[in-house]
């Protein structure tokens, strides 16, 4: 059994997506485990792959270990499975974690969200907010209000969980694919 992860840009048409998947089935190179197709890079072929290689950029020696003086930069570490792994690492090391993500983070929520404890309540309040502003609530307009609030809450919960187990945590909104902006974003941390 061979498995390959194929990540397709949402900007690809259905026909192009289908053809891309068929092309991946036909590729016999079993060393490629993950591939992405990005419309922004189609002029360059559009197919991006990862390949692992050894690096001596940072290796712990036998006498070293992560501890409360360590600083760990984690991409995508504020939500999902990476957040859970980061929390467990914080529990065992008490290190400082700099979490990177694409989502914006605001420590305080907009007033309209504060009485909502779950997604369905947020959607109701978003609908009321849109109506009060004279806008027609649609699934898209409601999602545009609700999704950032849910992401913000998840980020906040992760930061609190890391600190709750003895670690330190900072969140920085940054795109890890843009090296110049990434360096600028993490420089103060």
């Amino acid at each position: 059994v061979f498995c390959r992860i194929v990540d397709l840009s949402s900007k690809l048409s259905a026909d192009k997506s289908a053809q891309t998947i068929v092309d991946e089935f036909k590729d016999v190179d079993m060393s490629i485990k993950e591939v992405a197709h990005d419309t922004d890079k189609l002029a360059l072929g559009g197919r991006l792959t990862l390949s692992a290689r050894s690096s001596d950029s940072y290796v712990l020696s036998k006498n070293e270990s992560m501890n409360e003086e360590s600083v760990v930069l984690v991409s995508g570490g504020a939500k999902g499975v990476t957040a859970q792994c980061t929390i467990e690492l914080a529990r065992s090391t008490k290190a400082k974690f700099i979490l990177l993500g694409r989502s914006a983070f605001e420590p305080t929520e907009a007033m309209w969200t504060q009485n909502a404890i779950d997604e369905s309540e947020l959607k109701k309040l978003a609908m009321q907010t849109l109506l009060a502003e004279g806008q027609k609530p649609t699934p898209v307009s409601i999602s545009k209000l609700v999704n950032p609030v849910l992401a913000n809450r998840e980020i906040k919960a992760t930061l609190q969980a890391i600190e709750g187990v003895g670690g330190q945590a900072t969140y920085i909104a940054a795109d890890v694919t843009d090296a110049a902006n990434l360096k600028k974003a993490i420089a103060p941390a």
Side-chain angles (χ1 to χ4, degrees):
V1 173
F2 174 72
C3 180
R4 176 179 295 162
I5 298 168
V6 180
D7 183 13
L8 301 176
S9 170
S10 61
K11 297 175 187 173
L12 290 174
S13 69
D15 289 342
K16 179 65 177 169
S17 295
Q19 184 58 54
T20 300
I21 292 170
V22 169
D23 291 345
E24 289 299 331
F25 277 129
K26 293 178 181 177
D27 182 10
V28 295
D29 185 351
M30 295 181 74
S31 68
I32 298 173
K33 306 292 185 221
E34 186 172 354
V35 62
H37 291 268
D38 184 0
T39 57
D40 294 337
K41 308 240 185 315
L42 286 178
L44 302 173
R47 186 173 191 251
L48 308 170
T49 59
L50 300 175
S51 57
R53 60 185 168 99
S54 295
S55 169
D56 62 355
S57 61
Y58 188 78
V59 178
L60 292 174
S61 69
K62 289 182 182 179
N63 297 330
E64 291 180 313
S65 63
M66 288 181 60
N67 58 40
E68 64 279 349
E69 294 178 13
S70 301
V71 178
V72 182
L73 183 66
V74 184
S75 172
K79 298 192 295 181
V81 67
T82 310
Q84 297 308 309
C85 294
T86 305
I87 293 164
E88 289 307 310
L89 191 55
R91 183 184 320 277
S92 65
T93 66
K94 312 300 186 220
K96 177 181 179 182
F97 295 86
I98 302 170
L99 309 178
L100 300 175
R102 290 176 297 193
S103 300
F105 176 66
E106 297 294 330
T108 57
E109 290 186 7
M111 289 300 294
W112 69 267
T113 68
Q114 299 199 354
N115 292 326
I117 57 171
D118 63 20
E119 186 174 358
S120 64
E121 289 180 9
L122 275 172
K123 287 180 178 180
K124 288 176 190 174
L125 290 172
M127 190 172 2
Q128 291 170 359
T129 299
L130 289 167
L131 288 169
E133 293 173 353
Q135 298 179 42
K136 180 182 177 184
T138 65
V140 170
S141 64
I142 292 169
S143 290
K144 281 185 180 180
L145 287 177
V146 170
N147 290 347
V149 174
L150 294 173
N152 206 60
R153 287 180 176 183
E154 190 172 359
I155 293 166
K156 187 174 184 176
T158 299
L159 295 172
Q160 290 172 340
I162 289 170
E163 291 173 2
V165 297
Q168 298 175 51
T170 302
Y171 179 82
I172 298 173
D175 181 354
V176 297
T177 65
D178 185 338
N181 282 333
L182 179 59
K183 279 184 180 182
K184 188 175 166 181
I186 64 173

